[in-house]
Amino acid sequence: MSAPQRNRRVFDFTGRRVVVTAGAAGIGLAIATTMKAHGADVFVTDVNPEAVRAAGEAGLGAAVSDVRCEDDVRQLMRSVEAELGGLDVLINNAGVAGPTGRVDSLDIEDWKATFDVNVHGQFLCVKYALPLLERADDPSIINMSSAAGRLGMAGRSPYSASKWAVIGFTKSLAIELGASGIRANAICPGAVDGPRIEQVIDAKAAMLDLPVDEVAALYRGQSSLGRLIDAADIADMALFLASPLARNINGQAMAVDGNTEKLF
């Protein structure tokens, strides 16, 4: 693919086919609607049937599926091929916060469940999306990691360990698939405003026996900008990474965290 011309509409995604896992709510929905607003044909999947129904009513292709289940992922990619005719961009957004607590208090099943979604789900989606991506023009994979994928996080070791694994997976994909023209990058959000971070803050406050407001202030203070990240900021980074402007960006972990140097 030649370098984009200066006057090219690099964010015109008309004809681009995009899949967003956990795309019917939160960060995933922000990414999906941003891609659609720029012309992409977007297909989302989620485990929540009501959210999937709402996404479909909003004009997105949508299906209920669980990225932990190989049969679900296999069928998902069949549906994508049938509805979109192929795939240009896979956005592995599905993830869970995992349990909160000191490592010796954690249950092994909760640890495994965190990796089942955050790591194994990404593997399955890449595995079954590859035949479609290999037929695409300038295909790319975007894996959702976290600021916790480059920093340690007390009380959240399953989540942090899983998000470090996403970085290793992404960098390996970039090397392995680069010869096929498939780029793979990760996004590392800081604390993103919304219901999920509120649940995390509540759990951390309970663990430390501190007031929720005090812990919330500590989370905001992680960023040098002193604020939480908006889901729209993550969507904008995904848009950039999937665009021709990022044609030579591969194997990178892109932080969108307001400069977070230490996790509370």
Side-chain angles (χ1 to χ4, degrees), residues 23-234:
I27 293 173
L29 182 59
I31 294 172
T33 54
T34 296
M35 292 284 181
K36 181 176 173 58
H38 286 80
D41 296 320
V42 183
F43 196 100
V44 302
T45 181
D46 206 290
V47 294
N48 185 329
E50 292 183 4
V52 168
R53 189 179 310 111
E57 292 171 354
L60 298 168
V64 176
S65 60
D66 188 337
V67 298
R68 299 172 298 180
C69 175
E70 187 167 9
D71 287 343
D72 276 18
V73 175
R74 187 186 293 111
Q75 182 55 50
L76 167 65
M77 296 308 166
R78 288 174 181 157
S79 298
V80 168
E81 183 170 24
E83 294 206 19
L84 302 186
L87 180 62
D88 300 291
V89 182
L90 169 65
I91 301 176
N92 272 321
N93 171 68
V96 294
T100 297
R102 207 174 82 158
V103 66
D104 56 347
S105 73
L106 302 177
D107 184 88
I108 184 61
E109 294 307 318
D110 290 337
W111 177 283
K112 289 179 179 178
T114 305
F115 275 77
D116 279 345
V117 178
N118 295 358
V119 182
H120 305 155
Q122 292 197 7
F123 157 71
L124 287 172
C125 288
V126 170
K127 176 181 173 69
Y128 288 102
L130 268 180
L132 302 180
L133 292 170
E134 287 176 329
R135 301 200 302 264
D137 179 31
D138 189 28
S140 66
I141 298 166
I142 299 171
N143 294 328
M144 200 62 61
S145 181
S146 168
R150 60 182 183 84
L151 299 167
M153 199 173 192
R156 302 285 309 287
S157 59
Y159 180 77
S160 184
S162 70
K163 292 301 185 177
W164 278 73
V166 168
I167 301 298
F169 181 50
T170 301
K171 288 185 175 291
S172 298
L173 287 175
I175 298 168
E176 186 173 328
L177 304 179
S180 299
I182 301 172
R183 297 183 294 110
N185 293 289
I187 299 176
C188 297
V192 177
D193 198 9
R196 181 162 152 181
I197 196 63
E198 292 173 1
Q199 295 170 3
V200 169
I201 289 169
D202 288 346
K204 197 68 174 282
M207 171 188 166
L208 299 173
D209 194 23
L210 290 173
V212 170
D213 289 348
E214 183 177 333
V215 174
L218 290 168
Y219 268 80
R220 289 193 298 273
Q222 290 176 154
S223 162
S224 296
L225 295 175
R227 63 189 183 220
L228 299 180
I229 308 303
D230 290 332
D233 299 324
I234 311 305

